[in-house]
């Protein structure tokens, strides 16, 4: 449910749509370097097609032209302590997951911020921070959400789209507006109370949060249960030998 609290100073937004671009993250990085970032507190850039869209770990994000939701957000969360920057990933992934919940059941957040439908990936998020003078000077968050694409030809193992799940086309613009509305609600709440804890909502939304599952790290595969994700994004697991394991991003993966 959307947060209904009324804030005295709602953040200003600017919307930009491009028919084609290298990537929406790159577009915003260039805009940031050109010092055009002060025109709004939140800039949203969407596109019909990315020529070099990136996912996590440097992977290419497959997206058929004008079929999916490809967008990035630029904001300046200087009020968020650097050690708590993971909260921005939490509220963005929650915003997307909760909006998708309106259309079907079975969505979850695969740590740290992929969105899954059951055992298939529907959305990837790439978040990049610029740090300056001990603060988060800027955050650019890129999102690729599979909406109306029906055939995937890349080597990605488990993609799925909203149309494949529901069986109908969706208006991408309406989905984008709804996701951004949810995100702004979370973000304004965080501005109002910077130490707001979203960890419970995030934890309850996690992929494979119940039971014992297979993971792999640099030592190989092992079985474990998710205990929690700490405020800095560290994943805490307990393996079948009752050993507690701590992992930063890219140090461990789910066996899919």
């Amino acid at each position: 449910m959307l947060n209904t609290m009324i804030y005295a100073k709602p953040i200003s937004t600017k919307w930009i749509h491009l028919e084609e671009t290298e990537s929406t993250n790159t577009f915003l990085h260039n805009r940031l370097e050109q010092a055009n970032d002060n025109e709004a507190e939140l800039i949203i850039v969407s596109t019909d097609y990315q020529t070099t869209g990136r996912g996590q770990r440097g992977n290419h994000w497959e997206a058929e032209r004008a079929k999916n939701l490809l967008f990035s957000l630029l904001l300046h969360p200087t009020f968020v302590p650097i050690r708590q920057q993971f909260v921005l990933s939490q509220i963005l992934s929650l915003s997307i997951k909760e909006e998708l919940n309106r259309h079907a059941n079975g969505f979850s957040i695969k740590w740290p911020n992929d969105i899954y439908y059951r055992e298939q990936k529907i959305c990837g998020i790439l978040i990049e921070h610029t740090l300056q003078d001990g603060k988060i000077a800027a955050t650019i968050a890129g999102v690729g959400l599979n909406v109306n694409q029906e055939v995937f030809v890349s080597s990605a193992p488990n993609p799925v789209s909203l149309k494949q799940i529901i069986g109908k086309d969706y208006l991408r613009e309406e989905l984008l507006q709804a996701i951004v509305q949810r995100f702004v609600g979370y973000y304004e709440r965080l501005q109002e109370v910077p130490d707001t804890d979203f960890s419970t909502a995030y934890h309850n939304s996690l992929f494979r949060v119940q039971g014992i599952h297979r993971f792999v790290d640099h030592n190989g595969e092992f079985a474990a249960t998710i205990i929690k994700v700490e405020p800095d994004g560290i994943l805490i697991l307990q393996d079948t030998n009752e050993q507690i394991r701590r992992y930063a991003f890219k140090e461990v993966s789910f066996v899919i």
Side-chain angles (χ1 to χ4, degrees):
M1 179 178 294
L2 282 175
N3 188 288
T4 57
M5 185 180 295
I6 298 175
Y7 295 88
K9 296 181 179 179
I11 66 172
S12 59
T13 59
K14 181 179 179 67
W15 298 74
I16 300 170
H17 182 74
L18 309 169
E19 289 188 5
E20 180 176 309
T21 188
E22 181 179 354
S23 83
T24 52
N25 268 32
T26 299
F27 178 89
L28 285 176
H29 274 295
N30 293 337
R31 198 177 189 88
L32 194 58
E33 292 172 1
Q34 295 165 5
N36 291 324
D37 54 290
N38 292 323
E39 56 198 309
E41 294 175 74
L42 172 63
I43 300 177
I44 307 103
V45 176
S46 59
T47 188
D48 293 329
Y49 186 70
Q50 294 186 142
T51 57
T52 59
R54 291 183 296 131
Q56 297 285 13
R57 306 175 190 272
N59 295 327
H60 174 74
W61 183 262
E62 179 189 357
E64 187 178 345
R65 185 181 295 271
K67 291 287 188 178
N68 301 307
L69 195 51
L70 308 169
F71 69 97
S72 293
L73 310 176
L74 169 61
L75 52 147
H76 303 274
T78 56
F79 60 92
V80 176
I82 290 177
R83 67 183 183 278
Q84 295 177 12
Q85 59 187 270
F86 186 66
V87 71
L88 299 166
S89 178
Q90 286 181 321
I91 64 175
L92 180 55
S93 55
L94 281 169
S95 299
I96 297 168
K97 186 257 183 187
E98 289 170 1
E99 177 57 29
L100 292 175
N101 282 348
R102 293 183 57 246
H103 306 280
N105 297 319
F107 293 102
S108 61
I109 302 168
K110 185 170 80 66
W111 176 85
N113 53 25
D114 285 339
I115 310 298
Y116 265 51
Y117 173 71
R118 297 179 181 171
E119 296 288 322
Q120 294 179 279
K121 184 174 179 177
I122 191 170
C123 177
I125 300 173
L126 177 64
I127 297 183
E128 301 169 297
H129 300 289
T130 300
L131 308 181
Q132 184 176 355
D133 299 327
K135 296 181 179 180
I136 305 174
T139 294
I140 295 176
V143 176
L145 173 60
N146 299 330
V147 181
N148 295 322
Q149 187 163 337
E150 297 182 83
V151 178
F152 294 88
V153 297
S154 75
S155 59
N158 59 344
V160 70
S161 70
L162 199 55
K163 183 173 182 178
Q164 288 177 321
I165 296 167
I166 310 297
K168 68 175 184 178
D169 285 315
Y170 282 84
L171 292 176
R172 294 174 296 143
E173 297 80 4
E174 290 184 0
L175 278 173
L176 176 58
Q177 290 176 5
I179 290 168
V180 170
Q181 183 181 6
R182 288 178 182 275
F183 177 77
V184 167
Y186 273 123
Y187 189 76
E188 289 179 337
R189 181 179 169 190
L190 190 61
Q191 274 187 315
E192 192 81 3
V193 185
D195 60 351
T196 301
D197 186 2
F198 300 100
S199 59
T200 298
Y202 178 81
H203 179 85
N204 292 339
S205 298
L206 283 174
F207 174 72
R208 296 181 179 175
V209 71
Q210 301 292 335
I212 299 172
H213 299 280
R214 302 296 300 177
F215 296 83
V216 60
D217 63 12
H218 69 282
N219 291 316
E221 287 193 22
F222 63 96
T225 300
I226 295 175
I227 301 300
K228 65 177 179 177
V229 178
E230 295 186 333
D232 57 0
I234 297 294
L235 177 66
I236 308 299
L237 304 176
Q238 181 174 350
D239 64 26
T240 49
N241 294 321
E242 298 188 353
Q243 296 294 313
I244 298 298
R245 299 175 178 233
R246 298 168 50 87
Y247 293 100
F249 176 53
K250 295 185 179 181
E251 292 180 348
V252 68
S253 300
F254 290 88
V255 176
I256 302 296

